[in-house]
């Protein structure tokens, strides 16, 4: 399937979302991979993971880059050899990237009831405003919080950061699309603007939450 959605966040920031409907062979035939990337692809046991991996290469091609332009640091954080920042996410049949001149992180998650069972693993500060109600709204809020913390972690990418203890997401409304968050880790304090929205597809049952964060 062609590009599913493009979101122009601001003048220098764009999100591209790919809905993964192609077979592995279809995707592989449309991208040129460097040797190191091919070895990484060959080492993946899940075909769904392989297809998501290749879909990300389709997305960067849409932005005028190639696999040769994309690198990973020692912690697995992707980067380009230019002034553009990139962050990557994939969930089930979606893959997405955000490219910006600003420091950014992105995450996409399927809204699932099981997130309620692990809420105490990644929320603490948020318990001041969260009321466990076992409702669709509660699940959606937890998914935004998890996505925000994942996006922020991708920005900082430092060993030892705890979602529960070090990243705080301010109260927010699902009727809005933005909130604030902060990271408190060792002697470091950083603030972030967090944006979120829902993504749906006719080809996949369930709703997804897309979250992206800008470091202030």
């Amino acid at each position: 399937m062609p590009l599913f959605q493009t979101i122009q966040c601001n003048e220098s920031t764009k999100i591209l979302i790919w809905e993964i409907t192609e077979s592995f062979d279809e995707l592989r035939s449309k991208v040129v991979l460097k040797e190191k990337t091919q070895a990484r692809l060959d080492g993946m046991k899940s075909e769904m993971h392989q297809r998501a991996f290749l879909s990300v290469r389709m997305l960067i091609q849409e932005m005028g880059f190639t696999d040769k332009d994309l690198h990973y640091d020692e912690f697995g954080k992707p980067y380009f050899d230019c002034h553009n920042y990139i962050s990557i996410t994939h969930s089930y049949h979606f893959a997405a990237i955000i490219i910006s001149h600003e420091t950014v992180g992105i995450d996409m998650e399927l809204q699932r009831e099981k997130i309620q069972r692990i809420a105490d693993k990644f929320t603490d500060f948020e318990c001041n405003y969260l009321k466990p109600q076992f409702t669709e709204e509660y699940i959606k809020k937890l998914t935004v919080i998890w996505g925000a913390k994942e996006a922020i972690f991708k920005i900082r990418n430092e060993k030892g950061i705890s979602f529960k203890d070090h990243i705080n997401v301010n109260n927010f409304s699902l009727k809005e699309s933005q909130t604030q968050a902060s990271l408190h880790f060792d002697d470091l304090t950083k603030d972030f603007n967090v944006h979120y929205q829902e993504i749906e597809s006719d080809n996949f049952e369930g709703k997804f939450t897309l979250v992206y964060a800008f470091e202030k």
Side-chain angles (χ1 to χ4, degrees):
M1 181 175 177
L3 188 63
F4 178 76
Q5 189 173 351
T6 300
I7 303 168
Q8 189 73 48
C9 307
N10 58 39
E11 190 175 329
S12 70
T13 308
K14 185 179 285 189
I15 294 172
L16 282 74
I17 304 172
W18 193 275
E19 187 174 14
I20 310 166
T21 57
E22 304 89 346
S23 68
F24 170 84
D25 291 336
E26 284 179 287
L27 289 166
R28 183 64 189 88
S29 69
K30 294 176 182 177
V31 296
V32 177
L33 302 179
K34 57 193 176 191
E35 187 176 338
K36 188 175 182 179
T37 304
Q38 183 63 54
R40 186 175 173 189
L41 178 68
D42 293 341
M44 295 177 183
K45 296 179 180 178
S46 162
E47 185 179 295
M48 190 67 240
H49 193 187
Q50 289 178 318
R51 289 163 65 204
F53 186 78
L54 290 171
S55 296
V56 168
R57 271 70 197 163
M58 296 292 289
L59 290 171
I60 64 171
Q61 286 182 179
E62 290 279 343
M63 289 294 292
F65 296 95
T66 70
D67 180 59
K68 290 183 179 180
D69 301 312
L70 184 63
H71 310 282
Y72 294 84
D73 68 15
E74 60 183 310
F75 303 108
K77 184 176 181 178
Y79 67 94
F80 289 130
D81 288 327
C82 62
H83 58 277
N84 285 294
Y85 290 91
I86 180 172
S87 185
I88 295 168
T89 186
H90 42 79
S91 181
Y92 292 87
H93 296 278
F94 282 109
I97 63 171
I98 186 168
I99 294 179
S100 179
H101 293 174
E102 302 177 60
T103 308
V104 290
I106 192 171
D107 189 54
M108 193 169 182
E109 299 288 342
L110 175 64
Q111 297 169 11
R112 296 184 290 174
E113 289 186 4
K114 67 176 290 186
I115 198 170
Q116 299 170 108
R117 300 198 297 270
I118 61 168
D120 64 331
K121 305 293 185 185
F122 66 91
T123 61
D124 184 17
F125 168 86
E126 297 78 20
C127 295
N128 293 321
Y129 62 81
L130 273 179
K131 292 182 173 59
Q133 300 167 328
F134 305 101
T135 62
E136 185 178 357
E137 179 177 337
Y138 180 56
I139 292 168
K140 288 183 178 184
K141 280 206 160 191
L142 285 175
T143 309
V144 170
I145 291 166
W146 174 269
K149 296 191 178 195
E150 186 72 51
I152 289 166
F153 180 78
K154 287 179 180 179
I155 291 174
R156 298 307 308 183
N157 210 35
E158 295 180 40
K159 187 177 180 180
I161 292 177
S162 161
F163 282 19
K164 179 174 182 173
D165 300 329
H166 301 135
I167 305 175
N168 298 337
V169 179
N170 290 1
N171 196 5
F172 62 95
S173 168
L174 293 172
K175 295 177 183 178
E176 305 293 333
S177 60
Q178 183 176 348
T179 187
Q180 309 294 312
S182 56
L183 170 69
H184 307 269
F185 181 61
D186 289 341
D187 296 327
L188 177 72
T189 298
K190 287 285 184 179
D191 295 317
F192 302 85
N193 289 320
V194 175
H195 304 259
Y196 49 92
Q197 66 183 75
E198 213 167 65
I199 303 290
E200 291 185 76
S201 167
D202 293 335
N203 297 316
F204 190 83
E205 187 177 343
K207 297 178 181 179
F208 291 77
T209 297
L210 176 72
V211 187
Y212 52 101
F214 294 91
E215 183 177 311
K216 289 187 181 181

